[in-house]
Amino acid sequence: QVQLVESGGGPVQAGGSLRLSCVDSGRTFNNYVMGWFRRAPGKEREFVAAIRWSGPSTYYADSVKGRFTISRDNPKNTVYLQMNSLKPEDTAVYYCAAREYYFSTTWSDYPYWGQGTQVTVSS
């Protein structure tokens, strides 16, 4: 089965950078879509970025375009989210998610989830 574990979160000052990692310790197939979502305090869970396990396609929310980069390392079964120029409004719990085949920005479409990692951006 798919087992996702996030790491790399923590406190950071505005303008700083963090790199989040998501490791699939189970089985991942080449038709999977891997996504990052986040839930800020008092807000709904929102889409951040997604990447296909195979192929070059990536997708980003407008709020993070130009600042965040999603990438993958297939031999390590790992997906990364590089976050630069962080803002206080980026403060949230960040979740790694996976689904088969179809790209989606809707969190309920993803059946596999990690436990989340806290990112706190202070000014």
Side-chain angles (χ1 to χ4, degrees):
Q1 71 277 16
V2 176
Q3 301 177 45
L4 305 178
V5 180
E6 303 101 329
S7 63
V12 65
Q13 289 188 297
S17 299
L18 286 174
R19 188 180 72 166
L20 307 183
S21 299
C22 173
V23 178
D24 177 11
S25 61
R27 295 181 297 169
T28 300
F29 301 95
N30 64 6
N31 64 341
Y32 270 60
V33 173
M34 307 296 297
W36 287 96
F37 291 77
R38 66 186 183 185
R39 178 173 52 81
K43 296 183 178 180
E44 297 180 352
R45 190 175 304 184
E46 66 176 352
F47 170 78
V48 176
I51 188 170
R52 296 190 181 277
W53 198 248
S54 299
S57 298
T58 58
Y59 312 89
Y60 297 95
D62 288 342
S63 60
V64 306
K65 285 181 179 178
R67 299 189 298 121
F68 291 11
T69 303
I70 187 170
S71 61
R72 65 176 187 261
D73 187 339
N74 288 9
K76 296 183 178 179
N77 292 332
T78 301
V79 176
Y80 302 98
L81 185 68
Q82 178 66 46
M83 305 185 295
N84 298 326
S85 301
L86 283 162
K87 305 174 181 179
E89 52 262 43
D90 295 318
T91 295
V93 178
Y94 284 73
Y95 299 91
C96 179
R99 71 185 306 249
E100 291 187 272
Y101 196 76
Y102 297 108
F103 166 80
S104 176
T105 61
T106 302
W107 68 267
S108 60
D109 288 340
Y110 289 75
Y112 307 108
W113 291 86
Q115 296 282 17
T117 184
Q118 176 71 49
V119 173
T120 303
V121 185
S122 62
S123 60

